[in-house]
């Protein structure tokens, strides 16, 4: 049979180019400062891709991005990928030293920043001359991004992107140690985007609100799904809880993603009765398990559109659909379509339903590996009896009889007290019901009798919170081996950009605190 009509597989840049052609006059992205149609956005994408090639970059060269949320970030990211280069998005919340380490590790050939971050960059030795590009203002030693971009032709790129070409290196959050570069190919990124768009109910008429950093893989769920299907992105620089409801009403937002802390803040800001939010089709919570009380409140607010996603940048995912939530409220759902998960015991063998162990998974979009870290890649790999590789998550969880996943804690955050495994999340769930607990985290601290003992770190509500009363209240409601030895108040819990509490940092900060 003739294969004349068998086309090569389209990848994300091909979808973007198609949207630019067929949706040319439709709005693609807008922020507080700019608004671009699909025709304008893809023209800028082409200019960025051409400009990087004109600087001397070859396909596969890495490009660092340290930018504030705005239209320029979206066009630059698309241009890097469409030009055949590898995007290295950097978290603005880390230190200058960490930024320097990541740029050097990735051996970037070019760096694109917004002016507010220009002075934070130490140019790595791998940088090509003239490849420091600064948007939104001038900085000494930097080339003005807008002028550089506009010198290039907006004509379509003639670069051929293959599924196996590298697409991005995203550095891990570093909640349990030094960040590692997580590598995805273009084929893996397309599978990620198609899978999440399906699970999270994106459609061609979507209007997506972006309130998390564009550097984050959590944001890429919404960003890439919307760009793939030709929707509209409404990008905001910062997160302001009291603006979310007005923005939904103003733009007719259909989709957005956020981390648990943001969902909590929006609930507290209120305003649901003053704004029309009927346009919402689906919202996603990701980054860490959502406390049950907050989940119930959002499901009541959006009974057909609140979805919790558990996953990792490396490539594991489950979703709890709103239709499944009743009776499974503490669960993070079932594997996403085309995915699978397994729970591993201490002997690295799968365990039965109801037994806790390390969560491992397989998806179509599993990472290619850690950038130049075969040791870390091997450590994150579990091989089953058939020789199939699975990705270890480092998280502890269990499956119920129906196959729903329940996540307890990071494996490294588990407390061993008197020979018993204590999961901090179990204690945190109880403490969250105390009326004076705004948020809390439980860590293990050394104990001469038990080896380790739980210590609760609490951000209290109001000035009259009583740590001793909170301790007694909690210990009356948890098991014997879960009893908290002490409650310590902190004004804020340290978090990474994804909203995860940095328990490693808490353990370091409170290492001298003695149990009562």
């Amino acid at each position: 049979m003739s294969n004349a009509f068998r086309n090569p597989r389209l990848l994300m840049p091909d979808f973007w180019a198609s949207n630019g052609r067929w949706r040319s006059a439709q709005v693609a992205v807008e922020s507080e400062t700019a608004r671009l149609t699909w025709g304008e956005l893809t023209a800028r994408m082409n200019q960025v891709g051409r400009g990087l090639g004109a600087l001397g970059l070859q396909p596969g060269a890495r490009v660092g991005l340290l930018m504030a949320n705005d239209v320029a970030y979206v066009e630059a990211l698309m241009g890097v990928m469409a030009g055949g280069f590898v995007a290295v998005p950097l978290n603005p919340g880390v230190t200058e030293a960490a930024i320097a380490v990541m740029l050097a590790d990735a051996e970037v050939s070019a760096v694109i920043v917004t002016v507010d971050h220009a002075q934070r960059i130490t140019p790595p030795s791998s940088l090509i001359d003239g490849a420091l590009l600064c948007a939104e203002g001038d900085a000494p030693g930097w080339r003005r991004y807008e002028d550089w971009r506009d010198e290039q032709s907006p004509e379509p790129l003639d670069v051929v992107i293959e599924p196996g070409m590298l697409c991005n290196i995203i550095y891990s959050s570093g909640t349990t140690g030094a960040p590692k570069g997580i590598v995805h190919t273009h084929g893996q990124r397309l599978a990620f985007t198609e899978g999440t768009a399906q699970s999270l109910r994106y459609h061609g008429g979507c209007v997506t609100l972006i309130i998390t950093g564009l550097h984050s893989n959590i944001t890429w769920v919404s960003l890439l799904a919307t760009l793939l299907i030709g929707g509209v992105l409404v990008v905001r620089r910062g997160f302001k809880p009291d603006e979310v409801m007005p923005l939904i009403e103003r733009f007719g937002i259909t989709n957005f993603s956020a981390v648990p802390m943001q969902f909590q803040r929006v609930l507290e800001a209120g305003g649901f009765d003053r704004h029309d939010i009927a346009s919402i089709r689906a919202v996603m919570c990701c980054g860490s398990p959502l406390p049950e009380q907050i989940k119930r409140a959002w499901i009541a607010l959006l009974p057909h559109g609140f979805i919790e996603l558990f996953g990792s940048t490396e490539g594991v995912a489950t979703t709890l659909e709103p239709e499944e939530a009743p009776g499974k409220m503490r669960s993070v759902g079932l594997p996403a379509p085309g995915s699978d998960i397994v729970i591993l015991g201490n002997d690295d063998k799968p365990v039965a339903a109801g037994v806790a162990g390390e969560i491992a998974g397989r998806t179509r979009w599993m990472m290619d590996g850690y950038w130049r870290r075969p040791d870390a890649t091997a450590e994150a790999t579990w091989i089953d009896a058939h020789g199939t590789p699975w990705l270890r998550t480092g998280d502890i969880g269990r499956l119920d009889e129906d196959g729903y996943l329940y996540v307890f804690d990071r494996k490294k955050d588990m407390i061993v007290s008197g020979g018993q495994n204590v999961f901090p999340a179990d204690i945190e769930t109880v403490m969250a019901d105390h009326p004076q607990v705004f948020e809390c985290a439980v860590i293990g601290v050394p104990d001469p009798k038990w080896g380790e003992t739980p210590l609760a770190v609490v951000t209290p509500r109001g000035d009259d919170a009583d740590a001793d009363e909170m301790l007694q209240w909690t210990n009356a409601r948890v098991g014997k081996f879960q009893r908290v030895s002490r409650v310590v108040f902190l004004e804020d819990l340290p978090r990474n950009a994804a909203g995860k509490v940095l328990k490693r940092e808490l353990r370091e900060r409170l290492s001298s605190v003695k149990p009562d």
Side-chain angles (χ1 to χ4, degrees):
M1 180 183 293
S2 170
N3 64 357
F5 295 106
R6 293 182 186 176
N7 295 320
R9 186 184 185 193
L10 297 180
L11 298 167
M12 285 187 302
D14 301 302
F15 281 83
W16 301 338
S18 176
N19 291 335
R21 180 181 180 186
W22 298 107
R23 298 171 181 260
S24 178
Q26 298 180 24
V27 175
V29 57
E30 65 178 281
S31 67
E32 296 98 325
T33 64
R35 186 188 204 201
L36 297 181
T37 64
W38 266 104
E40 293 166 333
L41 178 61
T42 50
R44 290 192 178 183
M45 172 188 79
N46 295 335
Q47 289 175 307
V48 171
R50 287 183 180 278
L52 291 169
L55 288 172
L57 274 70
Q58 299 297 315
R62 278 76 63 194
V63 180
L65 298 159
L66 186 64
M67 307 178 74
N69 273 27
D70 215 316
V71 169
Y73 201 145
V74 178
E75 67 185 51
L77 180 65
M78 293 171 65
V80 170
M81 292 182 179
F85 312 110
V86 182
V88 184
L90 302 173
N91 176 4
V94 303
T95 66
E96 284 74 12
I99 291 170
V101 167
M102 289 185 280
L103 290 175
D105 183 63
E107 294 186 344
V108 301
S109 298
V111 179
I112 306 175
V113 301
T114 43
V115 69
D116 50 332
H117 296 301
Q119 299 307 314
R120 306 182 65 204
I121 298 293
T122 300
S125 60
S126 55
L127 198 75
I128 287 180
D129 288 343
L132 289 174
L133 305 166
C134 179
E136 300 182 350
D138 297 312
W142 291 77
R143 191 171 182 176
R144 189 174 178 84
Y145 166 83
E146 291 84 359
D147 294 342
W148 164 82
R149 179 198 65 204
D150 292 343
E151 291 171 359
Q152 316 304 322
S153 168
E155 292 300 309
L157 295 164
D158 55 5
V159 178
V160 176
I161 306 296
E162 299 290 348
M165 290 174 63
L166 299 192
C167 178
N168 63 257
I169 302 173
I170 295 184
Y171 281 87
S172 63
S173 58
T175 55
T176 57
K180 299 180 289 290
I182 301 165
V183 177
H184 293 101
T185 65
H186 275 272
Q188 290 160 345
R189 266 299 165 194
L190 178 63
F192 164 86
T193 304
E194 291 175 330
T196 52
Q198 175 187 9
S199 296
L200 301 172
R201 308 177 185 187
Y202 281 81
H203 59 94
C206 72
V207 182
T208 303
L209 178 63
I210 301 291
I211 54 174
T212 50
L214 284 166
H215 65 278
S216 170
N217 196 62
I218 292 173
T219 310
W220 283 25
V221 172
S222 299
L223 172 73
L224 297 182
T226 304
L227 293 176
L228 188 82
I229 59 182
V232 180
L233 291 169
V234 178
V235 179
R236 285 299 177 266
R237 287 216 166 201
F239 168 62
K240 298 179 181 178
D242 58 349
E243 290 186 355
V244 172
M245 292 298 134
L247 286 170
I248 292 173
E249 181 177 43
R250 174 184 169 190
F251 290 99
I253 299 297
T254 62
N255 298 74
F256 72 88
S257 301
V259 299
M261 177 185 65
Q262 291 175 314
F263 279 107
Q264 182 177 356
R265 299 288 199 275
V266 174
L267 279 178
E268 292 171 345
F272 308 106
D273 55 341
R274 300 192 303 274
H275 299 283
D276 182 1
I277 60 173
S279 60
I280 288 292
R281 178 182 175 93
V283 303
M284 180 202 76
C285 181
C286 187
S288 58
L290 184 66
E292 183 179 353
Q293 304 91 321
I294 302 173
K295 189 187 300 188
R296 287 187 181 278
W298 274 98
I299 289 175
L301 185 67
L302 302 172
H304 305 296
F306 187 83
I307 301 171
E308 183 171 17
L309 183 147
F310 164 78
S312 66
T313 303
E314 288 87 341
V316 173
T318 68
T319 56
L320 181 66
E321 305 287 342
E323 297 82 7
E324 302 167 341
K328 303 290 185 180
M329 200 62 70
R330 294 190 179 183
S331 166
V332 293
L334 298 170
S339 304
D340 203 359
I341 54 174
V342 67
I343 306 298
L344 303 176
N346 291 333
D347 58 359
D348 266 2
K349 294 181 180 178
V351 299
V355 179
E358 183 178 6
I359 304 164
R362 282 185 56 79
T363 62
R364 293 179 293 135
W365 55 86
M366 284 195 305
M367 68 173 180
D368 214 45
Y370 291 113
W371 176 249
R372 295 178 177 173
R373 288 289 306 276
D375 56 329
T377 303
E379 187 178 346
T381 304
W382 174 70
I383 306 296
D384 67 16
H386 304 289
T388 304
W390 296 63
L391 180 66
R392 296 178 179 272
T393 66
D395 291 302
I396 300 295
R398 67 173 176 84
L399 298 173
D400 67 13
E401 294 294 338
D402 300 316
Y404 285 78
L405 177 65
Y406 295 75
V407 180
F408 298 141
D409 280 290
R410 294 291 296 169
K411 190 173 183 179
K412 294 181 180 179
D413 290 334
M414 187 176 69
I415 302 166
V416 181
S417 183
Q420 299 288 322
N421 292 339
V422 178
F423 299 111
D426 290 341
I427 305 170
E428 292 161 358
T429 298
V430 171
M431 293 196 75
D433 282 332
H434 191 286
Q436 291 185 309
V437 172
F438 176 69
E439 57 184 359
C440 65
V442 174
I443 60 173
V445 294
D447 182 274
K449 181 177 181 180
W450 302 108
E452 282 188 305
T453 187
L455 181 144
V457 187
V458 173
T459 298
R461 297 181 188 273
D463 298 327
D464 57 345
D466 186 320
D468 290 335
E469 184 277 332
M470 202 176 286
L471 178 74
Q472 295 173 17
W473 184 95
T474 301
N475 286 343
R477 290 164 172 79
V478 298
K480 180 179 179 181
F481 290 102
Q482 296 174 315
R483 290 174 186 167
V484 176
S485 61
R486 187 169 178 177
V487 172
V488 174
F489 287 166
L490 284 183
E491 185 175 349
D492 291 296
L493 300 181
R495 297 179 183 274
N496 65 11
K500 294 180 181 178
V501 174
L502 297 172
K503 292 189 175 181
R504 171 174 49 84
E505 185 174 318
L506 284 177
R507 286 192 290 267
E508 292 171 358
R509 187 187 307 184
L510 301 173
S511 60
S512 61
V513 175
K514 303 299 182 183
D516 287 340

